[in-house]
Amino acid sequence: MDQHIAESIGRPDLIRLDDRLVCLRFETMKVVSALAAVRHLLDTGAVRRGDTLLDSSSGIYAYALALACHRHGMRCHIVGSTTVDHTLRTQLAVLGATLEQMEPCSDLKLDQKRRVERIHEILAEHPEYHWMRQYHDDIHYLGYRAIAHRIRQAIGADGLTVVGGVGSGASTGALARYLREDSGGAVRPADVELVGVQPYGSVTFGAEHVADPEIIIAGIGSSIPFGNVSHELYDTLHWISFDAALAGSVDLLRRHAVFAGLSTGAGYLAARHERERSPGRTVLFIAADTGHRYVDTVYARHREAAPIADLAPREVADQSGLALPWSRMRWNRAPAAAPAMAP
């Protein structure tokens, strides 16, 4: 039996959509990383119960950290993006977290920069606060070890392709790392391919020069370098526009009754394509959250959704060939280029 709701929220479902396509569905994925990170900090003595944990968030991590703090008797202070909505603000307040929300800003890079600057101001005033650094501290990998073990037990790891939004790098990077580890005396690491999904405009894999006229898909890209993205773990990248992701989200709900967020629609498109390219492999894609935040911006527009059979990626050799609505490139576990390297 779970001792706290956060443990239940962080436990994903494994759903087989067909013989070679599996959905790893979370209610709120970042609860996994936040819970494990806070537990590790307490176990190692880096923080104590009652301390204040601080971080910047565009929304989902704020909720995850607030739940982890509630679970472990900590205080939580969030510097929030302009994208934090009324529902989340209310939940944070009731959970006892404090939120400083940035003024409206149309420039994502400026919004992220202002939040980090505010974090430094708070730390100067309160050096006793602990900055979680979700984008840079690899303690956020820890929670995914148990999930990787569950995947290995349920569907195996050899011949497995994992697909998911890159975001901070913690979820996809950790799953690939743990799934590739030797297990039970194996002679070689498991054959696990990692496919990252990015929005256009993200600096992480060099797409900052291509703009999406619609909204940037939250949580799977970045306008600033993230230290937790281990570029050398990724085999292939897909860049997917809002319109293509919308089509994927709608098809996933219509065909498989899975109601999930916009990043999941993008991952579903990429996963279907990778499945067709590699008939001998099982493809697992990550559904990081539910679709409730996207009812008005995505699902209300379901009649506009293109049939996914009409969509296919443009194959590119390098980032100069990137073009909307969907591009694919082999990354071949290359290191990060200089603009994407965290300071």
Side-chain angles (χ1 to χ4, degrees), residues 88-102:
L88 180 54
R89 288 197 302 271
T90 303
Q91 285 178 288
L92 293 175
V94 175
L95 284 168
T98 55
L99 170 69
E100 291 185 41
Q101 190 167 11
M102 294 289 99

Side-chain angles (χ1 to χ4, degrees), residues 272-284:
R272 285 174 57 93
H273 182 78
E274 295 299 324
R275 180 195 58 181
E276 296 308 309
R277 289 181 65 96
S278 303
R281 303 184 69 83
T282 296
V283 181
L284 176 145

Side-chain angles (χ1 to χ4, degrees), residues 141-142 144-149 152-153 156-158 160 173-193 233 333:
Y141 275 50
L142 298 174
Y144 295 99
R145 184 183 291 276
I147 293 170
H149 177 73
R152 188 186 289 272
Q153 294 296 111
D158 268 327
L160 179 66
L175 286 175
R177 182 172 290 172
Y178 295 140
L179 285 166
R180 287 171 181 163
E181 287 179 347
D182 290 345
S183 178
V187 176
R188 58 174 178 79
D191 169 22
V192 177
E193 293 235 333
L233 293 173
R333 306 191 188 184

Side-chain angles (χ1 to χ4, degrees), residues 24-41:
L24 181 68
R25 178 195 174 274
F26 292 85
E27 182 175 340
T28 304
M29 183 179 68
K30 288 192 176 182
V31 171
V32 174
S33 54
L35 269 179
V38 173
R39 189 177 301 115
H40 176 78
L41 291 171

Side-chain angles (χ1 to χ4, degrees), residues 160-162 176 180 192-196 231-237 281 328-334:
L160 179 66
T161 299
V162 175
R180 287 171 181 163
V192 177
E193 293 235 333
L194 180 59
V195 177
H231 292 70
E232 67 279 4
L233 293 173
Y234 295 84
D235 297 285
T236 302
L237 272 298
R281 303 184 69 83
R328 178 185 185 272
M329 186 178 88
R330 287 292 295 175
W331 185 258
N332 297 317
R333 306 191 188 184

Side-chain angles (χ1 to χ4, degrees), residues 45-68:
V47 300
R48 296 177 298 177
R49 289 176 64 89
D51 285 354
T52 297
L53 305 183
L54 168 72
D55 214 343
S56 162
S57 173
S58 59
I60 296 299
Y61 185 79
Y63 177 55
L65 185 59
L67 285 173

Side-chain angles (χ1 to χ4, degrees), residues 190-274:
D191 169 22
V192 177
E193 293 235 333
L194 180 59
V195 177
V197 180
Q198 286 270 275
Y200 291 94
S202 173
V203 70
T204 310
F205 286 91
E208 62 270 23
H209 60 291
V210 183
D212 190 334
E214 286 275 7
I215 66 171
I216 293 176
I217 303 171
I220 67 171
S222 175
S223 64
I224 59 176
F226 286 167
N228 271 343
V229 178
S230 297
H231 292 70
E232 67 279 4
L233 293 173
Y234 295 84
D235 297 285
T236 302
L237 272 298
H238 287 251
W239 288 267
I240 296 180
S241 71
F242 172 88
D243 288 338
L246 181 150
S249 297
V250 171
D251 189 88
L252 180 61
L253 179 57
R254 181 178 288 138
R255 191 186 303 258
H256 298 291
V258 177
F259 181 51
L262 191 61
S263 67
T264 302
Y268 170 66
L269 275 187
R272 285 174 57 93
H273 182 78
E274 295 299 324

